[in-house]
Amino acid sequence: MKKLYIEGNKKLIGNVLISGSKNAALPILFMTILTKEKIKIGNIPKLTDIKIAIKLLKSLGAEIIYQNKFLYINPGLINIYSPPYKLIKKIRASIWMLAPLLIRFGKTKMFFPGGCKIGTRPINLHLNGLIKLGAKIIKKENSILAYIDKPLRGQYICMEKISVGATITIMSAATLARGITTIENAAKEPEIIDIAKFLNTLGANIIGAGSNKIYIKGVLKLNGGEHQIIPDRIETGTFLIAAAISKGFITCQNTEPKHLKNVLKKLSQTGAIIKTGKNWIKLDMRNKIPKSINISTSPYPGFPTDMQPQFTLLNSIAQGKSIVIENIFENRFGYVKELIKMGAQIEIKKNYITCQGVSNLFSKNIFSTDLRGSATLVLAGCIAKGNTIVNNIYHLKRGYASFEKKLNKLGANIQYL
Ligand code: UD1
């Protein structure tokens, strides 16, 4: 229940080094259960969710050390097929242990995963995919028993809804199935490509990741290998917003501009000057007031739901009126009432909000709601008039590496209370 004290009225200027992608690193960590050989992973972000994932792997018997910026994992020692409830409940990503444990041991007992309360977040598509490949699944009140009596069989699976999580589950299960699996209507996120690249490094045969049709030819065994996690596109976008709302100027380094095409397009529509290079993005909003923009979230390459709260903040201090539509999660406006406390003129309708930009936000004692909402409220504190307290910053640390330190380097003054 720690709090952050944030001094307002700041202009954020400077360079920031972007960390590895949380949403690629978490599934990749759990995919290591699919092999008994040693793995080396670079660019792992230092986050609470990652710490929990490492604890989960250790609880199964894996040996893991962090040395010279690399994580060394020996999954050969894993000998437990059911991870502990108290860790599983802490992160959404724990669902990605289900398929690897099932394949490795022929059985597993899992609990329903935790994570941000941004919607009901069912796991039916994960389970249906596994059932189609041949797994037997029994759902209890809060646990899942899964088992197989023979190897999974490749199948044609058409996803009824695009799901990042379920695409990852099915892709990982199919790597060691007999025959070919086709995932139609697959999610196309850069994280899916990174996970496929990692699995292929270990000897899997996956083609088409990043398109809406993924083909996986099952192999008998996966080996060890080394992998470098892609940069975090959502962390990058969050820092670009930090400069855009504070009339600042930022260079995000160690990032991948190609993964942010839609976000950069929207930011340039607000009036920001954007330049990109091979692994950097510069955003200049000095001496300007941003213009409002309409947003509608959709699966990649559409506008990411994980950037929706940050853009609402930008709209709340921009010139003009805007509409932000959330199409992925049904409960992702939790942070809005905190922005309203700070003076934002926002109205929540059903799955959308309308916003009339105001010239200033004002400091308040506010409560962080979920991961991306928390980052948004911290940024709001940096530009508000006065000094803001953000409570419950637990969520923030789950997904942003050294967020307050990186912002302080850009000129913010954020301290733990
Ligand atoms: C992942 C990301 C999250 C991001 C989201 C969408 C991680 C840890 N989380 O979440 O940051 O916001 O992708 O880009 O990587 N759905 C079902 N049944 C299922 C699975 C999903 O109905 O079995 C629905 C969800 O409720 C949601 C939609 O499908 O409405 C998309 O969810 P999904 O893409 O699976 O998101 P996550 O993998 O949970």
Side-chain angles (χ1 to χ4, degrees):
M1 294 288 274
K2 276 197 180 166
K3 303 170 183 188
L4 284 179
Y5 161 88
I6 306 164
E7 219 174 84
N9 225 357
K10 298 288 185 210
K11 209 178 267 263
L12 301 169
I13 293 180
N15 295 339
V16 65
L17 271 184
I18 298 302
S19 303
S21 159
K22 166 178 99 68
N23 288 353
L26 286 167
I28 282 174
L29 283 176
F30 293 132
M31 300 295 121
T32 63
I33 299 170
L34 289 166
T35 177
K36 293 185 177 170
E37 313 275 335
K38 290 182 180 163
I39 307 277
K40 179 179 173 188
I41 307 175
N43 208 23
I44 287 273
K46 290 188 178 163
L47 312 166
T48 319
D49 271 17
I50 295 284
K51 279 190 195 145
I52 295 165
I54 291 173
K55 272 191 193 166
L56 271 163
L57 286 172
K58 284 185 173 171
S59 77
L60 302 174
E63 202 178 71
I64 304 179
I65 51 165
Y66 186 77
Q67 208 171 41
N68 299 330
K69 300 194 171 175
F70 283 94
L71 204 61
Y72 294 84
I73 305 176
N74 182 356
L77 302 169
I78 292 177
N79 60 359
I80 292 171
Y81 67 86
S82 182
Y85 172 78
K86 68 174 197 314
L87 290 176
I88 289 190
K89 286 312 279 179
K90 288 190 172 169
I91 52 172
R92 171 78 185 168
S94 52
I95 185 64
W96 292 312
M97 303 178 90
L98 175 62
L101 282 171
L102 175 65
I103 290 160
R104 176 138 172 184
F105 292 100
K107 61 181 174 184
T108 183
K109 181 183 177 194
M110 284 282 301
F111 297 92
F112 287 98
C116 282
K117 305 249 177 305
I118 50 179
T120 49
R121 306 190 86 176
I123 54 167
N124 59 317
L125 301 173
H126 298 246
L127 302 185
N128 292 347
L130 291 175
I131 291 168
K132 187 106 197 255
L133 295 174
K136 308 267 184 307
I137 291 184
I138 302 166
K139 278 198 279 178
K140 302 252 167 146
E141 200 182 319
N142 67 350
S143 65
I144 305 154
L145 302 178
Y147 60 95
I148 43 176
D149 40 27
K150 53 180 188 291
L152 295 175
R153 290 229 155 255
Q155 292 289 344
Y156 170 81
I157 297 176
C158 184
M159 312 285 294
E160 63 194 68
K161 187 171 186 180
I162 298 179
S163 157
V164 177
T167 302
I168 296 171
T169 289
I170 298 167
M171 192 166 78
S172 65
T175 54
L176 292 168
R178 301 287 175 268
I180 294 173
T181 298
T182 306
I183 309 176
E184 181 101 51
N185 204 23
K188 297 186 272 199
E189 270 69 0
E191 292 76 21
I192 304 270
I193 303 177
D194 203 39
I195 296 158
K197 192 175 161 202
F198 169 70
L199 289 169
N200 283 344
T201 301
L202 306 191
N205 192 344
I206 303 172
I207 298 169
S211 75
N212 64 354
K213 214 172 194 175
I214 305 178
Y215 302 91
I216 307 121
K217 188 170 177 210
V219 295
L220 286 176
K221 164 178 184 288
L222 294 182
N223 308 307
E226 184 177 335
H227 182 74
Q228 193 74 5
I229 303 285
I230 52 166
D232 197 307
R233 64 194 165 100
I234 305 300
E235 188 198 14
T236 307
T238 306
F239 277 102
L240 294 174
I241 290 281
I245 57 167
S246 68
K247 298 183 184 166
F249 178 38
I250 199 168
T251 306
C252 293
Q253 289 167 331
N254 283 4
T255 190
E256 178 47 89
K258 282 193 215 117
H259 295 167
L260 284 121
K261 270 192 193 148
N262 233 311
V263 169
L264 296 183
K265 193 171 133 199
K266 286 287 175 188
L267 281 169
S268 55
Q269 285 168 11
T270 69
I273 296 169
I274 294 171
K275 290 192 178 135
T276 60
K278 189 168 174 277
N279 66 349
W280 54 263
I281 304 171
K282 280 181 196 288
L283 181 143
D284 191 352
M285 193 61 116
R286 285 172 297 182
N287 308 316
K288 280 187 185 167
I289 299 171
K291 292 194 239 9
S292 292
I293 30 149
N294 296 331
I295 298 288
S296 179
T297 64
S298 60
Y300 193 85
F303 188 87
T305 172
D306 283 358
M307 285 301 302
Q308 178 258 101
Q310 302 88 316
F311 269 77
T312 299
L313 168 61
L314 184 141
N315 277 334
S316 74
I317 50 97
Q319 278 173 322
K321 227 177 168 169
S322 56
I323 297 180
V324 173
I325 308 171
E326 173 55 54
N327 294 305
I328 310 288
F329 294 110
E330 64 272 26
N331 187 21
R332 207 164 194 175
F333 292 129
Y335 65 94
V336 168
K337 64 179 188 313
E338 304 302 299
L339 286 182
I340 292 172
K341 275 193 211 165
M342 298 177 83
Q345 281 186 21
I346 307 177
E347 263 185 72
I348 306 181
K349 309 281 184 177
K350 277 186 181 153
N351 72 327
Y352 71 96
I353 54 175
T354 56
C355 180
Q356 171 66 57
V358 293
S359 40
N360 284 304
L361 294 179
F362 297 92
S363 60
K364 280 278 167 337
N365 190 21
I366 52 176
F367 289 83
S368 96
T369 49
D370 58 87
L371 172 51
R372 307 300 170 189
S374 303
T376 298
L377 295 176
V378 171
L379 295 184
C382 290
I383 57 159
K385 290 230 173 293
N387 303 325
T388 298
I389 308 279
V390 183
N391 298 272
N392 292 357
I393 49 99
Y394 159 78
H395 297 287
L396 180 72
K397 293 177 79 68
R398 284 190 33 229
Y400 287 89
S402 311
F403 194 53
E404 77 292 347
K405 285 194 192 117
K406 289 183 182 182
L407 284 170
N408 285 346
K409 253 189 85 190
L410 298 172
N413 183 6
I414 305 174
Q415 312 294 335
Y416 277 99
L417 283 185

Coordinates of all heavy atoms in Angstrom, one line a residue, residues 22-24 26-27 49 92-93 96 118 120-127 161-166 168 187 189 233 305-306 327-330 332 372, ligand 1:
K22 N 7.4 -6.5 -21.0 CA 6.8 -7.3 -20.0 C 5.9 -8.4 -20.6 O 6.0 -9.6 -20.2 CB 5.9 -6.4 -19.1 CG 4.9 -7.2 -18.2 CD 4.1 -6.3 -17.4 CE 2.7 -6.0 -17.9 NZ 1.7 -7.1 -17.9
N23 N 5.1 -8.0 -21.6 CA 4.2 -9.0 -22.2 C 4.8 -10.0 -23.1 O 4.2 -11.0 -23.5 CB 3.0 -8.3 -22.9 CG 2.1 -7.6 -21.9 OD1 2.3 -7.8 -20.7 ND2 1.2 -6.8 -22.4
A24 N 6.1 -9.8 -23.5 CA 6.8 -10.9 -24.2 C 7.6 -11.7 -23.2 O 7.6 -12.9 -23.2 CB 7.8 -10.3 -25.2
L26 N 7.1 -12.4 -19.9 CA 6.3 -13.3 -19.0 C 6.0 -14.6 -19.7 O 6.4 -15.7 -19.1 CB 5.1 -12.6 -18.5 CG 5.3 -11.5 -17.5 CD1 4.0 -10.7 -17.3 CD2 5.7 -12.1 -16.2
P27 N 5.4 -14.6 -20.9 CA 5.1 -15.9 -21.5 C 6.4 -16.7 -21.8 O 6.5 -17.9 -21.6 CB 4.3 -15.6 -22.8 CG 4.4 -14.2 -22.9 CD 4.7 -13.5 -21.6
D49 N 5.9 -8.3 -11.6 CA 5.3 -9.4 -12.3 C 6.4 -10.5 -12.7 O 6.2 -11.7 -12.7 CB 4.6 -9.0 -13.6 CG 3.1 -8.6 -13.2 OD1 2.8 -8.4 -12.1 OD2 2.3 -8.6 -14.2
R92 N -1.8 -12.4 -14.1 CA -2.6 -12.9 -15.2 C -1.7 -13.9 -16.0 O -2.2 -14.9 -16.5 CB -3.0 -11.7 -16.1 CG -3.6 -12.0 -17.4 CD -5.1 -12.4 -17.2 NE -5.6 -12.9 -18.5 CZ -6.8 -13.5 -18.5 NH1 -7.5 -13.7 -17.5 NH2 -7.3 -13.9 -19.7
A93 N -0.4 -13.6 -16.2 CA 0.5 -14.3 -17.0 C 0.6 -15.8 -16.6 O 1.0 -16.6 -17.4 CB 1.8 -13.7 -17.1
W96 N -0.2 -18.9 -18.7 CA 0.7 -19.5 -19.7 C 1.6 -20.7 -19.2 O 2.4 -21.2 -19.9 CB 1.6 -18.4 -20.3 CG 0.8 -17.5 -21.2 CD1 -0.2 -17.9 -22.1 CD2 0.7 -16.1 -21.1 NE1 -0.8 -16.8 -22.6 CE2 -0.2 -15.7 -22.1 CE3 1.5 -15.1 -20.4 CZ2 -0.5 -14.3 -22.3 CZ3 1.2 -13.8 -20.6 CH2 0.2 -13.4 -21.6
I118 N -9.6 -5.3 -15.2 CA -10.1 -4.4 -16.2 C -11.2 -5.0 -17.0 O -11.6 -4.5 -18.0 CB -8.9 -4.0 -17.2 CG1 -8.2 -5.3 -17.6 CG2 -7.9 -3.0 -16.5 CD1 -7.0 -5.0 -18.6
T120 N -13.8 -9.0 -17.1 CA -14.0 -10.3 -16.6 C -12.8 -11.3 -16.9 O -12.5 -12.2 -16.2 CB -15.3 -11.0 -17.1 OG1 -15.4 -10.8 -18.5 CG2 -16.5 -10.4 -16.4
R121 N -12.2 -11.0 -18.0 CA -11.0 -11.7 -18.5 C -11.2 -13.3 -18.4 O -10.4 -13.9 -17.7 CB -9.8 -11.3 -17.8 CG -9.6 -9.8 -17.9 CD -8.3 -9.3 -17.3 NE -7.2 -9.4 -18.4 CZ -6.0 -8.9 -18.2 NH1 -5.6 -8.4 -17.0 NH2 -5.1 -9.0 -19.1
P122 N -12.1 -13.8 -19.2 CA -12.3 -15.3 -19.2 C -11.1 -16.0 -19.8 O -10.3 -15.4 -20.5 CB -13.5 -15.5 -20.0 CG -13.6 -14.3 -20.9 CD -13.0 -13.1 -20.1
I123 N -11.0 -17.3 -19.6 CA -9.9 -18.1 -20.2 C -10.5 -19.2 -21.1 O -9.8 -20.2 -21.4 CB -8.9 -18.7 -19.2 CG1 -9.7 -19.5 -18.1 CG2 -8.1 -17.6 -18.5 CD1 -8.7 -20.3 -17.3
N124 N -11.8 -19.1 -21.5 CA -12.4 -20.1 -22.3 C -11.6 -20.4 -23.6 O -11.5 -21.6 -24.0 CB -13.9 -19.7 -22.6 CG -14.0 -18.4 -23.4 OD1 -13.2 -17.4 -23.0 ND2 -14.8 -18.3 -24.3
L125 N -11.1 -19.4 -24.3 CA -10.4 -19.6 -25.5 C -9.1 -20.4 -25.4 O -8.7 -21.2 -26.2 CB -10.1 -18.3 -26.3 CG -11.4 -17.4 -26.6 CD1 -11.0 -16.1 -27.1 CD2 -12.3 -18.1 -27.5
H126 N -8.4 -20.2 -24.2 CA -7.2 -21.0 -23.9 C -7.6 -22.4 -23.7 O -7.0 -23.3 -24.3 CB -6.6 -20.5 -22.6 CG -6.1 -19.1 -22.5 ND1 -4.8 -18.8 -22.4 CD2 -6.8 -17.9 -22.5 CE1 -4.7 -17.5 -22.3 NE2 -5.9 -16.9 -22.4
L127 N -8.7 -22.6 -22.9 CA -9.1 -24.0 -22.6 C -9.6 -24.7 -23.8 O -9.3 -25.9 -24.1 CB -10.1 -24.0 -21.4 CG -9.6 -23.4 -20.1 CD1 -10.7 -23.5 -19.0 CD2 -8.3 -24.0 -19.7
K161 N -12.6 -15.2 -31.3 CA -12.3 -13.8 -31.0 C -10.8 -13.7 -31.0 O -10.1 -14.6 -30.6 CB -12.8 -13.6 -29.6 CG -12.8 -12.2 -29.1 CD -13.5 -12.0 -27.8 CE -13.6 -10.6 -27.4 NZ -14.3 -10.4 -26.1
I162 N -10.2 -12.5 -31.4 CA -8.8 -12.4 -31.4 C -8.3 -12.2 -29.9 O -8.8 -11.4 -29.2 CB -8.3 -11.2 -32.2 CG1 -8.7 -11.3 -33.6 CG2 -6.8 -11.0 -32.1 CD1 -8.4 -10.2 -34.5
S163 N -7.4 -13.1 -29.5 CA -6.9 -13.1 -28.1 C -5.4 -13.3 -28.1 O -4.9 -14.3 -28.6 CB -7.6 -14.2 -27.3 OG -6.8 -14.5 -26.1
V164 N -4.7 -12.3 -27.5 CA -3.3 -12.5 -27.4 C -2.9 -13.7 -26.5 O -2.2 -14.6 -26.9 CB -2.7 -11.2 -26.7 CG1 -1.2 -11.3 -26.5 CG2 -3.0 -10.0 -27.5
G165 N -3.6 -13.7 -25.4 CA -3.3 -14.8 -24.4 C -3.5 -16.2 -25.0 O -2.7 -17.1 -24.9
A166 N -4.7 -16.4 -25.6 CA -5.1 -17.7 -26.1 C -4.2 -18.1 -27.3 O -3.8 -19.3 -27.5 CB -6.6 -17.7 -26.5
I168 N -1.1 -17.4 -27.6 CA 0.1 -17.8 -27.0 C 0.0 -19.3 -26.4 O 0.8 -20.1 -26.7 CB 0.6 -16.8 -25.9 CG1 0.9 -15.5 -26.5 CG2 1.8 -17.4 -25.1 CD1 1.2 -14.4 -25.5
A187 N -3.9 -13.6 -32.9 CA -3.4 -12.2 -32.6 C -2.1 -12.0 -33.3 O -1.3 -12.9 -33.5 CB -3.3 -12.1 -31.1
E189 N 0.2 -9.4 -32.4 CA 1.0 -8.5 -31.6 C 2.5 -8.8 -31.8 O 2.9 -10.0 -32.0 CB 0.7 -8.6 -30.1 CG -0.4 -7.7 -29.6 CD -1.8 -7.9 -30.2 OE1 -2.0 -8.9 -31.0 OE2 -2.7 -7.2 -29.9
R233 N 6.8 -1.8 -26.0 CA 6.2 -0.7 -26.8 C 5.3 0.1 -25.9 O 5.0 1.3 -26.2 CB 5.5 -1.3 -28.0 CG 4.4 -2.2 -27.7 CD 3.9 -3.0 -29.0 NE 3.1 -4.1 -28.5 CZ 1.8 -4.1 -28.6 NH1 1.1 -3.1 -29.1 NH2 1.1 -5.1 -28.1
T305 N -5.1 -1.1 -26.5 CA -5.9 -0.9 -25.2 C -5.0 -0.5 -24.1 O -5.4 0.3 -23.2 CB -6.8 -2.1 -24.8 OG1 -7.4 -1.8 -23.6 CG2 -6.0 -3.4 -24.8
D306 N -3.8 -1.0 -24.1 CA -2.8 -0.6 -23.0 C -2.3 0.8 -23.1 O -1.6 1.3 -22.2 CB -1.6 -1.6 -23.0 CG -2.0 -3.0 -22.5 OD1 -3.1 -3.1 -22.0 OD2 -1.1 -3.8 -22.5
N327 N -12.7 -1.0 -26.9 CA -13.4 -2.2 -27.5 C -12.9 -3.5 -27.0 O -13.4 -4.6 -27.4 CB -13.1 -2.1 -29.0 CG -13.9 -0.9 -29.6 OD1 -15.1 -0.8 -29.5 ND2 -13.1 -0.1 -30.3
I328 N -11.8 -3.5 -26.2 CA -11.2 -4.8 -25.8 C -11.7 -5.3 -24.4 O -12.1 -6.4 -24.2 CB -9.6 -4.8 -25.8 CG1 -9.1 -4.2 -27.1 CG2 -9.1 -6.1 -25.5 CD1 -9.3 -5.1 -28.3
F329 N -11.5 -4.4 -23.4 CA -11.9 -4.8 -22.0 C -13.1 -3.9 -21.6 O -13.2 -2.7 -21.9 CB -10.7 -4.6 -21.1 CG -9.6 -5.6 -21.4 CD1 -8.4 -5.1 -21.9 CD2 -9.8 -6.9 -21.2 CE1 -7.4 -6.0 -22.2 CE2 -8.8 -7.8 -21.5 CZ -7.6 -7.4 -22.0
E330 N -14.0 -4.5 -20.8 CA -15.3 -3.8 -20.5 C -15.2 -2.9 -19.3 O -16.1 -2.2 -19.0 CB -16.4 -4.8 -20.4 CG -16.3 -5.8 -19.2 CD -15.6 -7.1 -19.6 OE1 -14.7 -7.1 -20.5 OE2 -15.8 -8.1 -19.0
R332 N -12.3 -0.7 -18.3 CA -11.0 -0.1 -18.3 C -11.0 1.4 -18.1 O -10.0 2.1 -18.5 CB -10.3 -0.5 -19.6 CG -8.8 -0.5 -19.4 CD -8.0 -1.2 -20.4 NE -6.6 -1.3 -19.8 CZ -5.6 -1.9 -20.3 NH1 -5.8 -2.5 -21.5 NH2 -4.5 -2.0 -19.7
R372 N -1.9 0.2 -16.1 CA -1.7 1.4 -17.0 C -2.4 2.6 -16.5 O -2.0 3.8 -16.7 CB -2.3 1.1 -18.4 CG -1.7 -0.2 -19.0 CD -0.2 -0.2 -19.2 NE 0.3 -1.5 -19.6 CZ 1.5 -1.8 -19.6 NH1 2.5 -1.0 -19.3 NH2 1.9 -3.1 -20.0
Ligands
UD1_1 C1 -2.9 -9.3 -23.0 C2 -1.9 -8.4 -22.3 C3 -2.6 -7.1 -21.9 C4 -3.3 -6.5 -23.1 C5 -4.1 -7.5 -23.9 C6 -4.7 -7.0 -25.2 C7 -0.4 -9.7 -21.0 C8 0.0 -10.2 -19.6 N1 -1.5 -9.0 -21.0 O1 -3.9 -9.7 -22.2 O2 -1.7 -6.2 -21.4 O3 -4.1 -5.4 -22.7 O4 -3.4 -8.6 -24.2 O5 -3.7 -6.4 -26.0 O6 0.3 -10.0 -22.0 N2 -10.9 -13.2 -24.1 C9 -11.9 -14.1 -24.0 N3 -11.6 -15.4 -23.7 C10 -10.3 -15.8 -23.5 C11 -9.3 -14.8 -23.6 C12 -9.6 -13.5 -23.9 O7 -13.1 -13.8 -24.2 O8 -10.0 -17.0 -23.2 C13 -11.3 -11.8 -24.4 C14 -10.9 -10.8 -23.3 O9 -11.9 -10.8 -22.3 C15 -10.8 -9.5 -24.0 C16 -10.2 -10.0 -25.4 O10 -10.6 -11.4 -25.5 O11 -12.0 -8.9 -24.2 C17 -8.7 -9.8 -25.6 O12 -8.1 -10.4 -24.5 P1 -6.6 -11.0 -24.7 O13 -6.0 -10.5 -26.0 O14 -6.6 -12.4 -24.5 O15 -5.8 -10.3 -23.5 P2 -4.8 -10.9 -22.5 O16 -4.0 -12.0 -23.1 O17 -5.6 -11.2 -21.2

